[in-house]
Amino acid sequence: MGLRFLALAGVAAAFLVVGGTAKADSGTFSGSVTPTSCGPMHPIAVAAGETTIDVVAAETISANDITIDLYDPSGALKAHGDTATSPEEIVYQSADLPPGTWHAQVCSFPGGLVAAPYDYTGTYSTSSAPVAPGTPGSGTGGNGGTPAPKYVAGKLVFSPATVVDPQRTEGEPLNFLDPKTNDYWESGPYGTTTQNSFIHRSTDNGLEFHLDSPAGLRPDAPPGGGDTDIAVDDQGFHYFADLEGLVNLGTSVSNDDGNTWRKNPVAVQNAAVDRQWFAVDNGTTTTAADNTIFLAFHESAVGTYIYSSPGSTSATDPVGGLVWQNASANAPMPLAADATCGQIRFDQVTRTLYYACSEGNHVRVTIGHVAPGQRTGIVFHNVTLPTSPGGGGPGHLFPALATDSGGNVYAAWVDTNDSGVYYSSSTDKGESWTTPVRVSTAPATTAEFLWAQAGSAGQLALAWYATDTAGQPDTFPNWATDPQGATTVKWWGYAAVVSNAASLSSTIAQQRFTEKPMHYGQICNQGIGCTVSSGDRTMADYFALNLDKTGAIRIVYNDTTSQHHGAHLYEVRQLQGKTVTGKSAKEPVPKSPMKDVTGDAQWPHYSPTGAGPNQPQLDLSNVALSMASPSMLRVKMSVANLAGMLPPPGKTNAVWLTRFQALSVGDFGEEAYRVFYVGAESTGGLAPQFFAGSTTCTDTTPQNCKVVDYPRTMAVQGRVCGNTISVDVPVNGGFGIGLPVGNALYNVTAFTFGRNDANDLYADVDATHSFDFALGGTPGGSPC
């Protein structure tokens, strides 16, 4: 069967036609919608032998955002059109289009109707045009059976959240741990308006992170700021991709662990390219010669693609990871119709590429076998998975795919109707799939953003955000306009480990991975359409889960619950419990006092000449919290050598600061987990000033927090005792007039940095590991 589906906005559908067309039916329709409801079903008569249905709907007010759905005679959803503002168009093609009465329905994008009237008009036509050549359709996968899962409570222990970056906010983070070094890499976009995207790296297994930049900005040359991805090959060479304003993709390569990057800003230049992903084939040898980097993306209103490049061979290689070509045997045509697709995955065991995309009421997987050393001419085919059981289709936003060490394949998604998490498995390289199983259970009632990784055979890990409030994430109160209402909808991070996941008798263990709410209210999951509707897209479109060398779960995610509602970047790790690779994690829960290794306070951490010298006066060795009295918090920060208090090169002031989150009130009186801090600051090496406060934020647009600042808000009592800075802060009133501080202090972390003023981009020097602290207990102890 050949099948093609396009969803376009504002332009007519463009597809190849062989011979003439004969319109068998055409007509117009009209109706109205409300901000929370759809219009009527509009019938479309399809005769035997017809292949194409073309439907266009336009709102009376073009700025109003609508969607359009197409249903077959059985009532099944076959296509969903939602790209931007009105109008919307669906062109649906199939070589064996079922005859009968089809229906089109127009709905409002939640929050997208900005002004009345909410009326629309539309046109439709059918024809017997030959199916567009070169765009493969999907074959229905085989039946892999119907599982009967068992549900149990998860028993893993997760760490307190690690602060990845105390200053910059960043949406949709991605992570991976280098399998050789266990260095932890993270990347994410800062926004196309800033032309910046970031990379953070940890050399101590994710206990502290540093920005890969000597200037506090992106690691490679601009432009950028859109979707990112980062990967590593078996040579230790790193690859970074950035979206250049929905026009082309830029790719960069580092052969020296992030000190320098070489960039091709027009690696893939096609109109309206979007959401690129990397996959790495390390070949069958340990050399660089047979390495291949795959780059998957979609071109809006055209289709999906997979390109390839040789792996880099050295710092003088002008091609590897920088120059790309279409990997498909069907080049230059798309692999399949345009769709929203998750991260591409390469199974090194079976040498198979998998690319999971949303298509109507099911997931579509593009599959291609890759011979050793093969980079082009790969024969791909598309397989249709079973219908999503939740009554909708895969969405919210990307479907997820993972492969385990036994070659089993898993696809997972969030259903757009019931907002549940589902997964299906395949034991024959994606050709047959089990009946989908619901993973999420109460209180994870409404799910959003899903990620998947698999370990040993039959072991699957999933992570997502969820709230116990039933409904559609797009329709919840928006923090920007109703902060009080938004806080009634609390989101948490959830994880599930599925054992025997490729069998018909799996066990699903669900639990939270965050110890506090991480978001309030609406989550807009319509991509750039959220800009038009003013929807809450603070966290962008996803977060990520990966595994370390032991198979322990590692998650990078956003927490927006501060007073700024910014996309603050955090990481949590599995401390205890069985990992998905069959090993056991046995790390203790961190607590105060927290020791920190010395010798890691270089400035800069990354530069074309390598890391700078260690800064002993800013080289943290310990941080400890205690109660100086029942109402007085004491913070002690120790460094390697405090004989001098000079700032790092390029800055005028040296700063020692401990920050944490605690339940409090936001800037509008709403519930918030404010960011508080205690610090000391020396100008030019002089005696320090001691201070405390609650953060401010520099916005690029109103209520769009970008750079978090730590001004000297409240003067407090402090002292220098040898190599230790000790600061006492009254819990009530010491952090700001009228600001309550909850008894639990979350993600307590000490930082050292240099700055010229409070609104500066700080020189990122050192950080300790994070821990939680409970106020109270028995006061006492020396101030030094």
Side-chain angles (χ1 to χ4, degrees):
M1 178 184 72
L3 177 68
R4 188 171 192 241
F5 156 56
L6 304 178
L8 309 180
V11 294
F15 53 89
L16 298 175
V17 176
V18 177
T21 64
K23 293 185 177 179
D25 188 21
S26 63
T28 62
F29 58 86
S30 62
S32 62
V33 295
T34 74
T36 58
S37 68
C38 300
M41 290 285 195
H42 302 290
I44 301 172
V46 175
E50 292 187 316
T51 60
T52 304
I53 302 173
D54 187 346
V55 187
V56 182
E59 241 282 349
T60 301
I61 298 177
S62 61
N64 280 346
D65 199 0
I66 59 173
T67 66
I68 186 169
D69 295 317
L70 182 66
Y71 297 88
D72 70 10
S74 71
L77 176 66
K78 303 304 292 184
H80 175 72
D82 179 23
T83 54
T85 53
S86 169
E88 295 284 355
E89 179 168 3
I90 289 174
V91 177
Y92 188 86
Q93 285 195 325
S94 175
D96 54 356
L97 207 63
T101 302
W102 291 59
H103 289 87
Q105 185 177 41
V106 175
C107 299
S108 63
F109 166 61
L113 298 182
V114 297
Y118 304 141
D119 301 325
Y120 63 85
T121 58
T123 63
Y124 67 88
S125 64
T126 66
S127 75
S128 56
V131 174
T135 304
S138 303
T140 303
N143 185 352
T146 302
K150 176 183 177 182
Y151 296 87
V152 299
K155 297 181 180 180
L156 305 181
V157 175
F158 288 96
S159 69
T162 295
V163 181
V164 177
D165 193 320
Q167 262 209 301
R168 297 157 193 80
T169 60
E170 177 193 304
E172 54 189 45
L174 284 169
N175 66 336
F176 76 88
L177 286 93
D178 190 319
K180 286 189 174 182
T181 65
N182 224 32
D183 284 358
Y184 198 137
W185 295 75
E186 180 278 335
S187 76
Y190 200 43
T192 54
T193 58
T194 69
Q195 294 297 306
N196 265 292
S197 292
F198 299 128
I199 295 175
H200 295 88
R201 181 188 177 204
S202 169
T203 57
D204 62 359
N205 197 32
L207 298 177
E208 62 181 90
F209 291 83
H210 297 286
L211 186 72
D212 185 352
S213 169
L217 300 173
R218 61 182 303 116
D220 59 358
D227 301 324
T228 71
D229 201 357
I230 188 166
V232 66
D233 65 17
D234 60 358
Q235 308 303 302
F237 299 153
H238 294 83
Y239 305 86
F240 178 59
D242 200 353
L243 181 62
E244 317 276 345
L246 286 178
V247 176
N248 55 274
L249 303 178
T251 59
S252 298
V253 178
S254 176
N255 301 92
D256 56 8
D257 288 328
N259 281 316
T260 58
W261 294 84
R262 292 170 294 120
K263 180 175 182 176
N264 178 1
V266 289
V268 176
Q269 188 171 20
N270 290 322
V273 292
D274 192 20
R275 192 48 276 175
Q276 75 284 5
W277 307 103
F278 276 138
V280 178
D281 172 9
N282 283 315
T284 56
T285 73
T286 59
T287 69
D290 59 354
N291 286 356
T292 301
I293 316 301
F294 291 103
L295 180 66
F297 61 94
H298 76 97
E299 188 173 347
S300 298
V302 177
T304 59
Y305 296 85
I306 296 175
Y307 276 44
S308 68
S309 174
S312 181
T313 58
S314 69
T316 60
D317 180 1
V319 175
L322 297 171
V323 178
W324 302 83
Q325 55 190 332
N326 196 316
S328 173
N330 202 36
M333 300 304 296
L335 299 171
D338 188 20
T340 301
C341 304
Q343 190 177 53
I344 186 176
R345 297 293 173 88
F346 178 70
D347 185 345
Q348 195 80 35
V349 176
T350 64
R351 300 202 53 81
T352 308
L353 275 171
Y354 297 99
Y355 192 23
C357 304
S358 299
E359 184 178 69
N361 60 6
H362 58 268
V363 170
R364 176 190 77 212
V365 178
T366 297
I367 304 170
H369 177 74
V370 182
Q374 184 179 16
R375 298 190 177 105
T376 60
I378 300 171
V379 177
F380 291 99
H381 67 284
N382 303 310
V383 174
T384 297
L385 272 64
T387 299
S388 181
H396 299 194
L397 259 155
F398 299 99
L401 188 141
T403 62
D404 65 28
S405 63
N408 301 306
V409 192
Y410 308 94
W413 62 92
V414 177
D415 188 275
T416 55
N417 182 56
D418 70 359
S419 296
V421 174
Y422 293 87
Y423 94 96
S424 177
S425 66
S426 172
T427 59
D428 59 1
K429 295 186 286 188
E431 301 304 324
S432 300
W433 294 86
T434 57
T435 302
V437 167
R438 178 157 181 156
V439 176
S440 57
T441 57
T445 304
T446 301
E448 183 67 273
F449 298 173
L450 176 67
W451 209 259
Q453 295 289 351
S456 57
Q459 296 296 110
L460 173 66
L462 300 168
W464 65 94
Y465 299 152
T467 175
D468 60 3
T469 303
Q472 289 293 323
D474 282 318
T475 64
F476 294 145
N478 187 333
W479 182 88
T481 56
D482 183 9
Q484 297 284 0
T487 58
T488 65
V489 181
K490 295 176 172 59
W491 293 85
W492 304 72
Y494 280 86
V497 173
V498 186
S499 302
N500 298 318
S503 74
L504 300 183
S505 55
S506 58
T507 299
I508 299 173
Q510 172 187 290
Q511 65 183 97
R512 289 174 176 168
F513 69 78
T514 61
E515 54 187 348
K516 54 174 283 300
M518 41 65 59
H519 182 74
Y520 294 125
Q522 184 192 54
I523 298 177
C524 183
N525 53 40
Q526 299 299 320
I528 59 174
C530 301
T531 304
V532 177
S533 67
S534 299
D536 190 342
R537 200 187 173 211
T538 304
M539 301 182 291
D541 297 336
Y542 54 83
F543 68 107
L545 170 156
N546 222 311
L547 308 174
D548 64 18
K549 289 195 294 187
T550 71
I553 292 172
R554 313 300 294 265
I555 298 171
V556 287
Y557 70 102
N558 289 129
D559 184 325
T560 70
T561 61
S562 77
Q563 67 271 32
H564 315 301
H565 196 73
H568 306 290
L569 189 58
Y570 292 90
E571 194 265 356
V572 297
R573 64 190 187 277
Q574 178 187 343
L575 294 176
Q576 299 170 17
K578 188 176 180 181
T579 74
V580 295
T581 57
K583 300 178 181 179
S584 293
K586 297 180 180 179
E587 292 187 48
V589 177
K591 60 181 181 180
S592 178
M594 175 59 67
K595 293 183 178 180
D596 191 63
V597 297
T598 55
D600 62 344
Q602 292 84 14
W603 179 252
H605 288 279
Y606 303 94
S607 78
T609 57
N614 191 62
Q615 308 290 316
Q617 75 280 14
L618 299 171
D619 190 359
L620 290 161
S621 61
N622 193 77
V623 61
L625 270 61
S626 62
M627 302 303 295
S629 73
S631 61
M632 185 77 71
L633 176 67
R634 175 167 291 160
V635 177
K636 293 183 179 181
M637 295 172 281
S638 300
V639 296
N641 189 341
L642 204 55
M645 290 191 168
L646 290 174
K651 298 296 182 180
T652 59
N653 296 3
V655 180
W656 301 260
L657 183 140
T658 295
R659 58 153 275 174
F660 56 85
Q661 281 184 281
L663 183 60
S664 185
V665 296
D667 294 341
F668 306 100
E670 78 283 11
E671 174 183 301
Y673 285 83
R674 292 190 78 99
V675 180
F676 297 100
Y677 54 90
V678 178
E681 183 167 10
S682 168
T683 300
L686 299 177
Q689 294 179 284
F690 305 99
F691 60 94
S694 183
T695 53
T696 60
C697 195
T698 301
D699 299 343
T700 53
T701 56
Q703 297 182 331
N704 185 5
C705 172
K706 286 295 186 180
V707 180
V708 178
D709 302 314
Y710 301 81
R712 297 199 300 261
T713 304
M714 308 287 289
V716 295
Q717 183 179 11
R719 60 198 64 80
V720 176
C721 309
N723 292 327
T724 297
I725 295 172
S726 179
V727 186
D728 292 345
V729 184
V731 175
N732 296 317
F735 294 95
I737 298 173
L739 292 179
V741 179
N743 290 330
L745 310 186
Y746 297 98
N747 52 75
V748 180
T749 311
F751 295 92
T752 60
F753 48 84
R755 68 184 183 187
N756 297 326
D757 56 64
N759 298 321
D760 194 15
L761 282 177
Y762 305 161
D764 160 34
V765 179
D766 200 9
T768 67
H769 313 155
S770 69
F771 58 91
D772 295 340
F773 181 78
L775 296 177
T778 304
S782 166
C784 289

